[in-house]
Amino acid sequence: MSSPEAAGPALHVPVLLDRVTELLAPAVSAPGAVLVDCTLGLAGHSLALLGAHPGLRLIGLDRDPDARAEAAARITAAGHAERATLVPAVFDELPDVLAELGVDEVQGVLFDLGVSSLQLDRPTRGFSYSTDAPLDMRMDPSGPRTAADVVNTYSRGELTRVLKVYGEERFAGRIAAAIERERAREPFTGTARLAELVRSSIPAATRRTGGHPAKRTFQALRIEVNDELGVLSRALPAAIDALAIGGRLVVISFHSLEDRIVKQTLAAEATDRTPPGMPVPMPEHAPVLKLVTRGGEAPGDAELAVNPRAASARVRAAERLRRAA
């Protein structure tokens, strides 16, 4: 049974907080260092870093006005307001944000991807399948496209693609066909009806394992509505470009699609590109990044006991070695 929406501040347990703080510390400890939190959310990681490094300046990006307001209140209450600048922006707008603020380079960049605690814990946002709410899923409530728009207007083929690619849903075709049939009878407006349709579209034997049957469908719709993978693919190179020498990029991802993009982007910049056949490595083709983590690091058992939502989280980090040629 779902609990009602909380009236007070949203519960927020930052994922991999100690590890993220440890990974960023060498880059952001000097006075005047700048950290860009590209997914500010409720500012859990940023608050810890501001508290640990008195000379740190924070630039926090978030497209969600509710998240920015809550983050601002928390940062102010902690006494860090003068060192924080919060910007209403999607993180692929990072170059424009830094240019507007007159910041040439930064010492740290953090991405904590996926849906925030605030969005999950407020059913009216439509991200959760556990209670009935408008079928929305926009991280920016002023965005042009809702999950209802996707469900009610995409062709069966387009829906199948979205569910299969973004949700890695084995039964994408069956679910898309059922949506097409049912929306002709009545358009979808709420999360409960869609979740029940997905449940009934999946074979009973499959429903017994792997969590809620609608989990993958809701993930896929959220990614499509917010163009999450496209934004990430554009934002990572921009974040690397913004780093000063010795600066660090830390990324927390929550599903394989995000993590694959992060892994491939960091690996490409950590590779020597000296042309084959050259007798020695060429400095202009040397790696731009050094990988700091060994693969995607997962939370430990102690953290999972406190915060089960962290189970799928993986963190990767890299340090800037040189300017690109």
Side-chain angles (χ1 to χ4, degrees):
M1 179 181 293
S2 300
S3 59
E5 182 174 340
L11 176 65
H12 182 47
V13 183
V15 173
L16 290 159
L17 178 62
D18 291 342
R19 185 57 173 144
V20 166
T21 303
E22 178 185 27
L23 288 167
L24 283 168
V28 303
S29 58
V34 177
L35 168 70
V36 181
D37 188 339
C38 288
T39 48
L40 181 66
L42 299 180
H45 295 100
S46 289
L47 279 169
L49 288 157
L50 285 167
H53 306 290
L56 179 64
R57 175 186 173 190
L58 169 70
I59 300 172
L61 278 56
D62 206 298
R63 66 176 111 182
D64 187 333
D66 293 342
R68 289 197 311 277
E70 181 66 33
R74 291 173 182 235
I75 290 169
T76 300
H80 305 313
E82 291 185 356
R83 293 190 283 134
T85 303
L86 308 189
V87 183
V90 185
F91 48 74
D92 64 346
E93 298 175 292
L94 176 60
D96 293 336
V97 171
L98 295 181
E100 181 70 21
L101 295 174
V103 176
D104 295 326
E105 60 182 22
V106 302
Q107 284 65 46
V109 181
L110 171 64
F111 292 88
D112 181 6
L113 303 172
V115 63
S116 74
S117 298
L118 180 144
Q119 291 159 343
L120 279 174
D121 295 336
R122 292 187 177 173
T124 54
R125 300 298 299 273
F127 287 94
S128 176
Y129 40 73
S130 60
T131 188
D132 196 20
L135 193 54
D136 194 318
M137 301 192 194
R138 290 173 296 177
M139 292 182 177
D140 177 355
S142 66
R145 178 176 55 192
T146 68
D149 294 330
V150 174
V151 169
N152 291 319
T153 66
Y154 278 29
S155 69
R156 184 198 297 192
E158 289 173 322
L159 283 172
T160 300
R161 174 191 61 80
V162 168
L163 301 185
K164 185 174 182 178
V165 175
Y166 296 158
E168 300 177 293
E169 173 56 70
R170 291 167 52 200
F171 302 100
R174 292 175 61 157
I175 295 169
I179 289 173
E180 184 181 51
R181 181 180 64 250
E182 286 300 307
R183 74 188 184 191
R185 183 175 62 84
E186 181 183 353
F188 285 87
T189 59
T191 57
R193 181 178 168 221
L194 178 61
E196 175 56 27
L197 179 136
V198 173
R199 189 198 67 79
S200 64
S201 299
I202 294 175
T206 304
R207 296 200 301 263
R208 298 190 188 104
T209 59
H212 197 290
K215 177 180 179 180
R216 291 177 296 276
T217 292
F218 274 58
Q219 171 185 294
L221 291 174
R222 191 198 79 220
I223 290 172
E224 175 70 7
V225 166
N226 297 289
D227 187 27
E228 292 179 33
L229 300 185
V231 169
L232 179 61
S233 296
R234 295 187 293 272
L236 286 174
I240 294 168
D241 287 345
L243 283 177
I245 304 300
R248 289 192 170 189
L249 168 68
V250 175
V251 187
I252 305 171
S253 59
F254 288 87
H255 57 75
S256 61
L257 300 173
E258 294 172 335
D259 188 54
R260 188 177 306 128
I261 293 171
V262 177
K263 176 182 178 180
Q264 293 174 349
T265 301
L266 298 187
E269 295 298 332
T271 300
D272 190 309
R273 294 191 175 93
T274 297
M278 298 299 294
V280 295
M282 301 173 67
E284 64 269 28
H285 295 293
V288 172
L289 297 178
K290 174 182 71 175
L291 302 182
V292 179
T293 52
R294 295 178 63 86
E297 298 181 0
D301 292 339
E303 177 169 357
L304 294 178
V306 175
N307 185 15
R309 285 181 181 172
S312 63
R314 299 293 181 270
V315 62
R316 296 180 185 269
E319 181 176 312
R320 180 113 193 204
L321 297 176
R322 67 175 184 89
R323 286 288 172 199

